Amino acid sequence: MKPSPFTYHRPHSADEAVELLRAYGDSAKVLAGGQSLVPLMSMRLAAPEHLVDINRVEALQSVEVGEDEVRVGAAVRHSRLERDEEVYGAVPLLRQGLVNVAHPAIRNRGTTVGSLVHADPAAEMAAVLLLLDGVVELRSATDSREVAAADFFLGPMQSATGPGELAVAARFGRPPPGSGSAFVELSRRQGDYAMCGVGALVTTGQESEITSAKVALVGVGDGPALVDVTSAAAGPGGAFREPQLAELLASQIAPESDIHASAEYRRHLALVLTRRALGQAHERAAA
């Protein structure tokens, strides 16, 4: 199939981009990587009258590693962020999550910020943003604002990005010293949407005692679910009390059955993968 007719715009500045979004309102869509939007347009599940291509906006292509956070511009490809050694040294969880995103060909075009705005319930980077207390920077023709990760994902394919707003960047917080992270998921085939994915962030103190443990899960509800599991830590060895861990997860996830897996199986996966991710994260924190 082919997309419905549309008018193509190629702004060269963020000001020009948000002015186009203001002018055309709900009839306009932003094109960054296009790995989600273009297939939807081809199947006519989306039919924007105006397409605003931000790939020529130089200000949206930067990656900045700061003392407290990593800032990623809206036009930065997954693959560039994945291969950036400075970013990996600052926030290993970014690469750990990115290597699970679809296939290399998709990561070569898709953008990290675009994935966040798309708000797919199985999107890995949404979980990463939650775990790292991230923020999305939004800009319109008249205002700028920041939305914390906890408030950004409103439901399946729904984010806090409002009419006329452009997500110009996402900021990912740097974990404190003594932290380790991991991201694990299970899909029917490598690169498919995860039936369940789990990111983990563990911080340790003296003698590898766990002082903080959090997980973020995808594929088991309407959006990413953040769960603080510190209370389930059993001691300095890095073990977790499984009944308490299962109870904490059950209170925050709401999987549904589909053609790929039953809700019961997804609940089972959530616990298994959570244990696995926490174990890897604790091992890296203690290293």
Side-chain angles (χ1 to χ4, degrees):
M1 294 182 67
K2 296 181 179 179
S4 301
F6 60 87
T7 302
Y8 175 75
H9 304 270
R10 193 171 72 180
H12 288 80
S13 70
D15 287 340
E16 187 181 352
V18 295
E19 181 56 35
L20 286 166
L21 294 176
R22 183 203 63 78
Y24 296 114
D26 291 340
S27 66
K29 287 285 187 183
V30 174
L31 174 67
Q35 300 305 289
S36 298
L37 177 60
V38 171
L40 289 173
M41 292 173 61
S42 296
M43 292 185 286
R44 301 210 175 188
L45 297 175
E49 297 175 16
H50 298 269
L51 210 56
V52 181
D53 184 346
I54 61 171
N55 284 285
R56 301 300 191 279
V57 181
E58 192 171 333
L60 303 180
Q61 298 175 6
S62 64
V63 177
E64 303 166 27
V65 179
E67 189 174 321
D68 300 317
E69 62 191 12
V70 173
R71 184 180 185 273
V72 180
V76 174
R77 312 289 181 202
H78 290 309
S79 58
R80 176 184 167 194
L81 198 60
E82 175 190 341
R83 296 166 188 162
D84 191 309
E85 293 298 331
E86 187 180 9
V87 168
Y88 179 68
V91 186
L93 184 57
L94 281 168
R95 181 182 292 178
Q96 292 160 357
L98 282 164
V99 296
N100 290 285
V101 175
H103 303 277
I106 300 295
R107 298 199 295 273
N108 283 340
R109 290 298 303 171
T111 62
T112 300
V113 175
S115 174
L116 297 174
V117 173
H118 188 55
D120 191 298
E124 294 85 354
M125 299 316 292
V128 172
L129 190 75
L130 274 174
L131 275 175
L132 297 173
D133 295 322
V135 170
V136 178
E137 300 177 12
L138 300 175
R139 180 176 170 187
S140 70
T142 58
D143 196 14
S144 297
R145 65 189 181 109
E146 299 179 352
V147 181
D151 302 317
F152 188 71
F153 304 103
L154 305 181
M157 312 298 183
Q158 291 182 307
S159 75
T161 308
E165 286 188 317
L166 173 66
V168 295
R171 304 203 308 270
F172 300 86
R174 295 181 66 156
S179 296
S181 59
F183 200 104
V184 297
E185 68 178 39
L186 183 69
S187 55
R188 294 178 67 245
R189 293 169 298 188
Q190 177 66 36
D192 281 2
Y193 286 110
M195 289 185 282
C196 178
V198 181
L201 183 63
V202 173
T203 303
T204 58
Q206 294 181 345
E207 299 181 356
S208 299
E209 181 182 359
I210 294 173
T211 58
S212 174
K214 297 186 294 182
V215 293
L217 300 94
V218 297
V220 287
D222 290 342
L226 182 67
V227 187
D228 189 324
V229 296
T230 310
S231 61
F240 286 81
R241 303 179 187 91
E242 187 163 316
Q244 192 170 355
L245 196 61
E247 185 178 343
L248 288 168
L249 293 178
S251 68
Q252 297 298 321
I253 64 174
E256 295 184 358
S257 299
D258 59 22
I259 60 172
H260 302 300
S262 67
E264 183 179 358
Y265 181 59
R266 281 193 162 92
R267 289 191 193 95
H268 171 71
L269 277 181
L271 180 58
V272 170
L273 295 181
T274 294
R275 287 201 315 260
R276 190 175 302 170
L278 286 169
Q280 292 179 13
H282 181 261
E283 184 177 331
R284 290 164 180 164

